[in-house]
Amino acid sequence: MSVEVFEDHSPDVDITFTKEDLRDVVPHDNDPIVVSLVTVGRKVHRVLVDQGSSADVMFWLTFNKLQLSPDHLSPYVGCLYGFAGDQVEVRGYIDLRTTFTDGVASRTEKIYLVVNAPSAYNVLLGRPTLNKIGVVPSTRHIKVKLPSMEGMVITIHSDQKEAKKCYENNLKNK
């Protein structure tokens, strides 16, 4: 277990969800929030916003698809356990500039623990980054909002079709 202390340098912005945020939402049965981010200059799809995860995880397959070198991984001391209590192989830690954008405003942070485990997702965005940058997810609205460094609110919509496919594929892998 570890405790990381961080200073919140995010602008103080009010983040709210309104009826307007529901306008583009297709009625759903508790779909997960699955978004796209930009890392290493490439758009990465199938990013699960996972409030249950104690780590920000990039899967080994994604790491390889981004053509990153294992030489850039820093050693990670510790164990990571999956939802079912099974230990997950951690390959290392890497600080990758990752951009959250809605096309109008953006914010870039460095994140990722790289693990070797099967997943329908490319990345799990967990509590460390969600809390660090002030992400406010809404499962009802199937989107997330966060402050940009300029004090604007960034709204990232979930891809509902991709979320359903990932969820179904994840069930098949179990």
Side-chain angles (χ1 to χ4, degrees):
M1 298 188 63
S2 67
V3 175
E4 185 178 329
V5 178
F6 63 88
E7 292 183 39
D8 186 2
H9 298 287
S10 299
D12 190 18
V13 221
D14 290 331
I15 296 180
T16 58
F17 290 89
T18 65
K19 289 179 185 175
E20 184 69 20
D21 288 309
L22 286 169
R23 209 181 58 189
D24 59 345
V25 174
V26 176
H28 60 96
D29 295 318
N30 302 317
D31 291 342
I33 300 173
V34 177
V35 298
S36 296
L37 304 173
V38 177
T39 192
V40 196
R42 296 177 62 188
K43 195 166 196 175
V44 177
H45 302 279
R46 299 190 337 253
V47 176
L48 176 64
V49 176
D50 189 356
Q51 293 174 281
S53 178
S54 62
D56 301 305
V57 173
M58 175 179 285
F59 292 94
W60 187 246
L61 187 61
T62 306
F63 183 85
N64 287 328
K65 283 182 181 177
L66 291 171
Q67 300 174 338
L68 299 169
S69 170
D71 296 339
H72 292 111
L73 288 172
S74 299
Y76 177 80
V77 180
C79 296
L80 189 65
Y81 292 92
F83 181 74
D86 49 327
Q87 190 168 346
V88 178
E89 179 189 355
V90 178
R91 293 286 177 103
Y93 186 86
I94 190 167
D95 283 329
L96 292 178
R97 292 177 52 82
T98 301
T99 302
F100 302 78
T101 184
D102 60 6
V104 177
S106 64
R107 180 166 180 172
T108 301
E109 295 291 331
K110 295 181 181 178
I111 48 178
Y112 297 120
L113 189 62
V114 180
V115 303
N116 189 17
S119 178
Y121 304 99
N122 289 314
V123 168
L124 298 182
L125 195 59
R127 290 188 311 267
T129 294
L130 297 176
N131 290 332
K132 179 181 176 186
I133 65 175
V135 174
V136 180
S138 172
T139 54
R140 180 171 184 236
H141 300 90
I142 333 179
K143 54 186 59 119
V144 297
K145 293 187 179 191
L146 65 145
S148 73
M149 294 310 287
E150 296 76 30
M152 297 176 66
V153 175
I154 301 167
T155 302
I156 303 175
H157 302 256
S158 181
D159 182 335
Q160 285 187 264
K161 287 182 184 176
E162 195 68 43
K164 282 184 190 305
K165 281 190 340 194
C166 288
Y167 182 73
E168 290 166 2
N169 287 339
N170 234 23
L171 290 178
K172 290 177 189 174
N173 288 338
K174 303 234 183 247

